[in-house]
Structures are given as structure tokens and as C-alpha cells.
């Protein structure tokens, strides 16, 4: 073994990283282009990722930080019904998401821009080439993270064979696999890479005391801040990383003595972090903004135990390998009480802060997603502790524990991708009903229609909107399958969305509307159909705050017309909030709808 702690097989972990890269590239290509849906590349940039990505076309192509271009640009990909204006918390044009992901995506975006132009695909920023560059970036930064983590673990004395095992677990036994392949535009993989780099450079500086290492650590910390400012709390893990109180004091003393390195580090950090307030200034004339309107932290009331053990998003429920990793801190108490307490305290603070957010479950998420960026620190006790396994039976026991936990996490990833696990509404009853099951019809367990019945005796008046699809000769209206009148609406990949009924709350309030009921006739010709009737309630910026749906494709029989009835009570809304009603068929298999009827009810108080 050399001075860095490498074994004779010094390239084992590197080969594992190469293997991981090949697997991820294979699955990315398969999922996005060869999985029965040739347009799945459009979902590479989705949800929050739209906001992270929007900085790039706004700055490089349109020079428009008011985002006047965004609706037309997004409509070219997602359709007009899902395009939305970028807004700050106060309703001004802007972008509430932080700029760090866009900074890391920049070289990939510029490459895509060049390739798109020379291949004749245009330079709108919204086409398959641009979105594919985001998918490539996610894989690249995950591999960068693993390379830095390997180097860090070598500094800590871990052996190559165990480093390889730990890297495999981090990718395939956690939600990293989901966020690199299925939601590559989300921030977590990029934070994961920046945190790995920061930990490596700060540990390298502690050992070797080279000026450039501290400067690189400052730059990595700045990127961490730009991606998600709260993640700067990774510095709380430095005492644990030092290994002892004496080492930690030496590190601090070295930093403050090396005034040149410290000054350059502060300058680099400040210059990079200033990107965000400068963008706010260019957008609205103010350097500092709180971009999240009614969202924030409530540190007095965290959902600490929910974040770890709840069926809704519990880290240890959906990513159980991290519970095993946490247990590996126990031997540290004999080795270094300071390091062990440093780990425990930083872990508690991470979970406390994360689950203090006003939406502690973080909406659509597999496991407790904001913890992902802290895995490089949280996995260290396992990576180091595995070195101490000498007896063969212990090694065999650990390996046979890792294999089922990896398989279990991958299976739950599959369930989440197939919507058998709800994106945000799992509970104990639902969880055990679908436990280790893969039948697609179980989606109705995860997403049961929330019918709210209306007492007809309480109705004062009603307003009716009819869609019978008989009075329009557009190609979208089908003449081969219909319930009545000679026409129906065919929804498939050519036309995913039906006509959308939309009304602001001020319009509903003027008529004192409090319930809505939708009825329609529907027919599917394939069992795999995944069409959904949706009633959503959205803020003016397009963010959904309530989403009710009826899974038509799951709940009706094949080859027969069936009537659907779906009613909900209208929730508390702001004056400019919007109610939308539409049918969405995202599958390749057609759904025919006819005689769609929307009834808006005014009822007795």
C-alpha cells in the first residue's frame, strides 16, 4: 500500500466508476429514446429543472431576464397548457430558482448551442440537442463526484475494493440513480458533485497545506452556495472530517496563518456567489431578494422523524442503505469521540434544517431528496469502517446485506417511475398495499381519485360547459370511435391534452361557485393507457398548490364506452389563482372522450 492508502489493485474504484458511467449512459439512452416513447427527451427538463435551465437561454440566446420569451419557448416543447412565465416571489418577472445549476450547465449548453446551429436545428434553446446536453451533464457531474469521493476516501485510509463497493451503493442503492437518469435537471446531482469536491479539497489542504487546495475548496463552497444556499451547512461536517479535535485546531490555525490563501479564497468565494445578487439586480433592480413567496423555514417545528422514518418520504424507508451507513458511526466513539459527535451533530442539523422547510416533503420526490447532496459526508463512516472487517463471515454477511438493499431501492425506484409509489402522498396503508408489487393497476392505490360528493338538495344554481366534439371539423376530432353525434376527441402522442377549462378565483367568487363536477364518456383500446382527468389549482405563476386527478386509463375497461364522474370542492384560493380542468393522455395508446360536461355549483351555506 502506498502513502495514499491505495492497495495493489489501485485502479479498482476507477474501473467501478467507468462501469457506472457506461451503465448510466446505456440507461439514459434507453429511457429517453428507445423505451417506446420517442419524445421522452422532452421530460429531461421538468418541474424545478425548468427554472434552473431557463437562465441559460435567457442570458445567452434571448438576453431577456424578464423571461418574455419563456411561454412561447416552453410551449414549443411542452405545449401551451404547460408553459409558464418565470416569476419572483412578489409576482415580478424573474426566476425564483438559484443560478448554480445553470453555472455548471453552461459548457454543456454552449456546446449544444453550437451543435444545434451547425446541424440546422436552430438556436431556440429548446430542442432535443439542448435537453440532451442536460442529461449528459448530470451523468458527467455524478462521475466527477465519484472521482472526488474516491480521492477523499483514499486520503482517509479506505481501501480501493471497499471504495468501489461504496460508490456502487451510492449510485444504485440510493435515490442518486433516480435523479441522474429521471430528473437530471434537478439540483441534487450538481450539489452532490460540488460537496464531494469541497470535502476533498479541504481534507487535502489539512494534510498537504497547499494554497491552491484552499482556493479550490472556497470555489467549490461558492458553487454549493449558488446551487442551494442552505447547503453551505456542509461546513459543519469539517470537524468530523478532521478526525480529532487536535487536527481540527491545526486546520483552523493553518487557514488563518496562510493569509494569502485565505484572502484569495474569500475573493473567489465572494466573486462567484455575487453572480446571484447581480442577476437579481439585472432582473429587478435589487441585489437581494427572497424568491420564495410564502415558503420558508420554521426551525421550531421541524418534521425531523417524518424526514427519517415516515412512509411519505422517510430517508431510511426509501433509502435504507443510509441507515446502515449511519450505524457505522458507532465504532468511531472508541476511535475519536470528537469525530463521532461531529458526525452526529452535523447529521442532526442537516435533517433538522431540511425538514424545517414549509413543504418538508419537497413535493414530487423519491425519498427525502435534499439529503442526497450530503451523501459524500454521510457515507464516510461506512467506507472507512468496512476496512476493519477482517473475518470472512463478516464480509460475506455485509455483502449479502448490501445486495438485497440495493435490489430493494432499485425496485422502489421502478415503482416510483411507474407511479405505484405516489410522488408525495404515500402513507402506511398505501405503502404496504404496494410493497414489492409491480402491477400497474396499483397506481390507483397511490393516486386514488378524491371524490367529494355534492348533496343535490344543497344546490342553489349551476353553470354548465359542454364539450361534445361534434361541431368542429379539425383533424383532432375522430370519426371512427364515438359515443354519440359522429365525433369524439382522440388523445394520444399527437394530441396529449384536451381543451382546458380555466377560471380565476375572482371569476368563480363572483358567481359564488364552491364545487365542480366533471363527467364524460371514455373509451380505451389498450390496457396500458394512462390517461388522467385533472382538476388543478394553480398560483398565477403556474405553480400547482392542489392537484386532483381521476386515473381514467387505470379504472375503465378496454373496448367499451364508460361514464366518468369526478367532483371536488374548490379549495381556498387567492384572487388571481386559477382552476384548470382537462384530460391528459401521456401514453402512446389512444383514449377517446366524448360528451364532456363541466358543472360549476353554487350551494347553500
Amino acid at each position: 500500500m502506498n502513502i495514499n492508502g491505495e492497495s495493489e489493485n489501485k485502479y479498482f474504484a476507477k474501473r467501478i466508476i467507468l462501469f457506472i458511467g457506461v451503465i448510466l449512459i446505456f440507461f439514459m439512452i434507453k429511457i429517453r429514446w428507445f423505451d417506446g416513447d420517442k419524445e421522452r427527451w422532452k421530460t429531461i427538463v421538468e418541474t424545478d429543472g425548468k427554472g434552473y435551465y431557463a437562465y441559460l437561454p435567457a442570458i445567452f440566446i434571448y438576453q431577456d431576464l424578464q423571461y418574455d420569451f419563456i411561454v412561447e419557448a416552453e410551449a414549443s416543447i411542452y405545449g401551451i397548457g404547460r408553459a409558464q412565465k418565470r416569476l419572483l416571489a412578489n409576482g415580478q418577472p424573474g426566476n425564483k430558482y438559484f443560478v448554480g445549476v445553470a453555472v455548471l450547465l453552461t459548457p454543456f449548453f454552449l456546446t449544444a448551442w453550437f451543435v444545434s446551429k451547425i446541424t440546422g436545428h436552430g438556436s431556440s434553446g429548446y430542442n432535443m440537442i439542448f435537453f440532451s446536453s442536460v442529461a449528459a451533464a448530470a451523468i458527467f457531474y455524478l462521475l466527477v463526484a465519484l472521482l472526488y469521493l474516491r480521492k477523499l476516501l483514499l486520503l482517509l485510509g479506505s481501501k480501493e475494493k471497499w471504495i468501489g463497493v461504496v460508490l456502487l451503493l451510492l449510485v444504485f442503492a440510493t435515490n442518486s440513480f433516480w435523479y441522474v437518469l429521471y430528473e437530471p435537471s434537478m439540483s441534487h446531482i450538481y450539489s452532490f458533485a460540488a460537496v464531494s469536491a469541497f470535502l476533498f479539497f479541504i481534507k487535502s489542504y489539512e494534510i498537504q497545506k497547499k494554497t491552491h487546495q484552499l482556493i479550490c475548496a472556497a470555489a467549490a463552497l461558492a458553487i454549493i452556495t449558488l446551487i442551494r444556499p442552505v447547503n453551505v451547512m456542509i461546513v459543519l461536517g469539517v470537524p468530523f472530517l478532521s478526525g480529532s479535535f487536535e487536527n481540527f485546531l491545526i486546520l483552523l490555525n493553518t487557514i488563518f496563518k496562510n493569509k494569502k490563501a485565505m484572502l484569495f479564497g474569500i475573493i473567489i468565494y465572494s466573486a462567484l456567489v455575487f453572480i446571484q445578487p447581480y442577476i437579481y439586480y439585472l432582473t429587478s433592480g435589487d441585489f437581494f431578494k427572497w424568491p420564495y413567496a410564502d415558503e420558508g423555514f420554521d426551525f421550531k417545528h421541524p418534521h425531523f422523524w417524518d424526514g427519517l422514518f415516515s412512509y411519505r418520504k422517510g430517508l431510511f424507508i426509501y433509502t435504507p442503505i443510509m441507515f446502515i451507513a449511519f450505524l457505522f458511526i458507532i465504532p468511531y466513539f472508541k476511535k475519536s469521540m470528537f469525530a463521532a459527535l461531529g458526525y452526529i451533530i452535523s447529521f442532526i442539523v442537516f435533517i433538522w434544517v431540511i425538514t424545517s422547510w414549509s413543504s418538508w416533503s419537497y413535493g414530487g420526490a423519491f425519498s427525502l431528496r435534499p439529503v442526497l447532496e450530503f451523501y459524500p459526508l454521510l457515507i464516510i463512516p461506512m467506507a472507512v469502517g468496512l476496512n476493519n472487517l477482517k473475518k470472512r463471515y463478516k464480509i460475506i454477511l455485509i455483502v449479502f446485506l448490501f445486495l438485497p438493499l440495493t435490489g430493494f431501492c432499485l425496485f422502489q425506484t421502478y415503482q416510483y417511475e411507474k407511479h405505484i409509489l405516489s410522488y408525495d402522498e404515500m402513507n402506511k396503508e398505501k405503502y404496504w398495499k404496494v410493497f414489492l408489487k409491480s402491477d400497474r393497476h396499483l397506481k390507483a392505490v397511490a393516486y386514488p381519485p378524491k371524490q367529494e360528493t355534492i348533496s343535490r338538495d344543497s344546490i342553489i344554481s349551476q353553470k354548465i360547459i359542454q364539450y361534445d366534439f361534434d361541431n368542429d371539423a379539425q383533424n383532432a376530432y375522430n370519426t371512427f370511435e364515438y359515443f354519440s353525434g359522429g365525433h369524439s376527441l382522440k388523445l394520444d402522442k399527437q394530441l396529449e391534452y384536451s381543451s382546458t377549462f380555466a377560471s380565476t378565483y375572482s371569476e368563480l367568487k363572483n358567481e359564488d361557485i364552491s364545487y365542480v363536477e366533471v363527467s364524460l364518456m371514455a373509451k380505451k383500446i389498450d390496457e396500458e393507457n394512462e390517461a388522467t382527468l385533472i382538476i388543478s389549482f394553480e398560483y398565477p405563476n403556474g405553480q400547482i398548490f392542489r392537484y386532483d386527478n381521476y386515473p381514467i386509463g387505470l379504472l375503465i375497461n378496454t373496448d367499451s364506452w364508460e361514464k366518468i364522474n369526478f367532483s371536488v370542492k374548490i379549495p381556498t384560493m387567492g384572487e388571481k389563482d386559477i382552476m384548470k380542468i382537462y384530460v391528459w393522455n401521456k401514453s402512446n395508446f389512444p383514449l377517446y372522450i366524448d360528451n364532456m360536461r363541466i358543472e360549476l355549483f353554487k350551494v347553500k351555506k
Side-chain angles (χ1 to χ4, degrees):
M1 182 179 293
N2 65 21
I3 59 172
N4 288 325
E6 292 183 339
S7 64
E8 294 179 1
N9 190 5
K10 62 181 180 179
Y11 299 116
F12 178 74
K14 284 186 176 180
R15 293 191 183 104
I16 290 294
I17 294 172
L18 178 62
F19 168 76
I20 290 171
V22 171
I23 292 295
L24 293 178
I25 292 170
F26 169 79
F27 274 102
M28 182 66 78
I29 294 172
K30 180 180 183 297
I31 290 167
R32 299 296 173 185
W33 290 279
F34 294 100
D35 214 12
D37 185 351
K38 293 182 179 180
E39 293 193 336
R40 201 170 181 184
W41 61 268
K42 292 182 178 180
T43 63
I44 290 173
V45 178
E46 275 282 14
T47 59
D48 293 358
K50 291 182 183 180
Y52 298 128
Y53 177 80
Y55 281 108
L56 297 166
I59 292 171
F60 291 107
I61 296 177
Y62 299 98
Q63 293 81 52
D64 175 18
L65 286 171
Q66 300 298 303
Y67 296 90
D68 291 327
F69 72 91
I70 201 74
V71 172
E72 182 178 349
E74 286 192 358
S76 69
I77 296 291
Y78 309 112
I80 191 63
R82 297 178 64 211
Q84 56 186 260
K85 179 85 174 188
R86 297 287 125 204
L87 295 172
L88 293 170
N90 56 11
Q92 291 180 319
N95 193 334
K96 78 171 187 176
Y97 298 98
F98 296 109
V99 74
V101 173
V103 171
L104 293 184
L105 287 177
T106 296
F108 294 86
F109 179 85
L110 294 178
T111 301
W113 192 9
F114 174 74
V115 172
S116 188
K117 288 186 73 171
I118 65 173
T119 57
H121 287 83
S123 56
S124 68
Y126 289 82
N127 63 37
M128 185 171 66
I129 295 172
F130 283 100
F131 278 27
S132 298
S133 74
V134 176
I139 294 175
F140 173 81
Y141 283 112
L142 178 67
L143 298 180
V144 167
L146 299 180
L147 287 168
Y148 276 122
L149 188 54
R150 170 188 172 269
K151 296 170 74 171
L152 171 65
L153 294 175
L154 286 173
L155 290 177
L156 295 172
S158 191
K159 297 177 182 177
E160 281 274 355
K161 64 179 181 181
W162 289 120
I163 294 175
V165 170
V166 166
L167 297 184
L168 284 170
L169 291 173
L170 273 176
V171 176
F172 298 109
T174 74
N175 50 349
S176 301
F177 186 77
W178 173 267
Y179 283 101
V180 72
L181 290 180
Y182 291 95
E183 295 192 66
S185 62
M186 295 292 277
S187 66
H188 308 296
I189 293 300
Y190 307 94
S191 288
F192 184 96
V195 166
S196 296
F198 169 74
L199 294 176
F200 166 71
F201 283 118
I202 201 69
K203 187 63 181 179
S204 298
Y205 181 73
E206 178 189 302
I207 295 172
Q208 300 171 353
K209 301 175 178 58
K210 294 181 179 179
T211 297
H212 78 276
Q213 293 166 337
L214 186 61
I215 294 173
C216 287
L221 190 62
I223 297 298
I224 291 169
T225 308
L226 279 176
I227 295 173
R228 196 161 175 265
V230 72
N231 286 348
V232 76
M233 60 183 171
I234 189 61
V235 298
L236 297 176
V238 174
F240 159 72
L241 196 64
S242 294
S244 69
F245 183 63
E246 291 75 19
N247 288 344
F248 181 59
L249 287 181
I250 291 171
L251 172 63
L252 292 179
N253 188 50
T254 304
I255 291 174
F256 285 106
K257 276 188 174 180
N258 191 345
K259 290 182 173 54
K260 179 181 177 182
M262 188 171 68
L263 178 61
F264 273 115
I266 292 172
I267 292 172
I268 290 292
Y269 178 85
S270 301
L272 287 173
V273 169
F274 185 69
I275 293 173
Q276 187 67 67
Y278 184 60
I279 285 179
Y280 284 151
Y281 176 75
L282 293 177
T283 302
S284 64
D286 297 319
F287 280 104
F288 298 101
K289 291 274 187 184
W290 176 245
Y292 291 86
D294 299 321
E295 301 173 89
F297 292 98
D298 181 2
F299 297 117
K300 292 182 179 180
H301 303 96
H303 289 259
F304 187 88
W305 298 112
D306 288 330
L308 294 179
F309 296 106
S310 75
Y311 288 98
R312 189 175 181 185
K313 290 291 171 62
L315 174 69
F316 293 154
I317 297 294
Y318 294 98
T319 318
I321 195 66
M322 296 311 298
F323 180 68
I324 304 300
F326 180 78
L327 294 179
F328 268 89
I329 196 61
I330 294 174
Y332 268 72
F333 282 95
K334 290 184 179 179
K335 181 181 177 181
S336 170
M337 181 70 72
F338 176 81
L341 289 176
Y343 181 90
I344 297 292
I345 291 170
S346 60
F347 179 85
I348 290 173
V349 172
F350 295 162
I351 304 300
W352 192 285
V353 171
I354 287 168
T355 60
S356 293
W357 185 245
S358 50
S359 176
W360 73 267
S361 65
Y362 292 85
F366 179 52
S367 191
L368 191 64
R369 58 183 170 93
V371 184
L372 195 160
E373 30 264 74
F374 299 106
Y375 288 171
L377 181 76
L378 300 181
I379 205 71
I380 288 173
M382 176 188 283
V384 174
L386 288 171
N387 289 325
N388 299 323
L389 295 178
K390 305 298 182 183
K391 295 182 179 180
R392 185 177 296 273
Y393 80 90
K394 290 184 178 180
I395 296 175
I396 294 173
L397 181 65
I398 286 294
V399 171
F400 275 92
L401 177 63
F402 289 165
L403 287 174
L405 288 180
T406 302
F408 179 66
C409 188
L410 287 174
F411 185 78
Q412 290 198 131
T413 303
Y414 171 83
Q415 287 182 306
Y416 187 74
E417 195 269 336
K418 296 300 181 184
H419 306 293
I420 296 170
L421 293 176
S422 169
Y423 75 100
D424 191 32
E425 296 181 355
M426 288 303 293
N427 55 36
K428 181 179 179 180
E429 180 184 6
K430 291 180 182 179
Y431 184 85
W432 290 109
K433 277 185 178 180
V434 304
F435 185 70
L436 295 183
K437 296 176 183 177
S438 59
D439 188 336
R440 63 179 294 275
H441 290 89
L442 290 170
K443 286 194 283 187
V445 173
Y447 299 98
K450 297 178 179 178
Q451 291 279 17
E452 295 177 293
T453 58
I454 305 168
S455 172
R456 297 289 166 170
D457 293 336
S458 66
I459 297 174
I460 299 174
S461 63
Q462 64 183 356
K463 180 180 179 180
I464 299 174
I465 299 94
Q466 290 274 157
Y467 299 94
D468 60 14
F469 312 115
D470 291 327
N471 300 316
D472 198 310
Q474 292 183 20
N475 292 331
Y477 294 97
N478 175 66
T479 58
F480 298 102
E481 294 280 357
Y482 54 87
F483 180 75
S484 66
H487 296 84
S488 68
L489 181 63
K490 179 183 178 182
L491 298 177
D492 56 16
K493 275 301 177 182
Q494 302 302 314
L495 181 70
E496 292 186 31
Y497 298 93
S498 71
S499 301
T500 299
F501 171 80
S503 180
T504 64
Y505 177 64
S506 36
E507 293 169 335
L508 296 173
K509 185 178 71 171
N510 288 340
E511 300 186 41
D512 199 16
I513 302 298
S514 56
Y515 278 91
V516 59
E517 181 174 273
V518 183
S519 63
L520 57 86
M521 300 301 299
K523 180 178 180 179
K524 68 178 184 180
I525 60 174
D526 193 285
E527 184 67 23
E528 299 297 314
N529 188 278
E530 296 186 3
T532 304
L533 169 62
I534 294 166
I535 304 177
S536 70
F537 300 89
E538 305 178 5
Y539 296 120
N541 66 358
Q543 182 181 0
I544 295 172
F545 63 87
R546 175 168 160 177
Y547 184 89
D548 295 307
N549 70 92
Y550 188 98
I552 300 173
L554 288 177
L555 299 180
I556 65 173
N557 296 313
T558 305
D559 288 331
S560 63
W561 285 96
E562 296 190 29
K563 187 171 184 177
I564 304 299
N565 283 290
F566 189 42
S567 59
V568 301
K569 183 178 180 180
I570 295 175
T572 302
M573 298 172 67
E575 290 286 331
K576 296 182 180 180
D577 295 342
I578 304 168
M579 178 180 74
K580 292 183 179 179
I581 301 171
Y582 56 95
V583 179
W584 178 28
N585 182 19
K586 65 178 179 178
S587 66
N588 288 323
F589 309 105
L591 178 83
Y592 301 94
I593 63 173
D594 205 349
N595 295 1
M596 186 171 176
R597 175 186 176 98
I598 298 171
E599 298 182 70
L600 304 173
F601 294 97
K602 177 180 178 180
V603 298
K604 297 175 183 177
K605 299 298 183 183

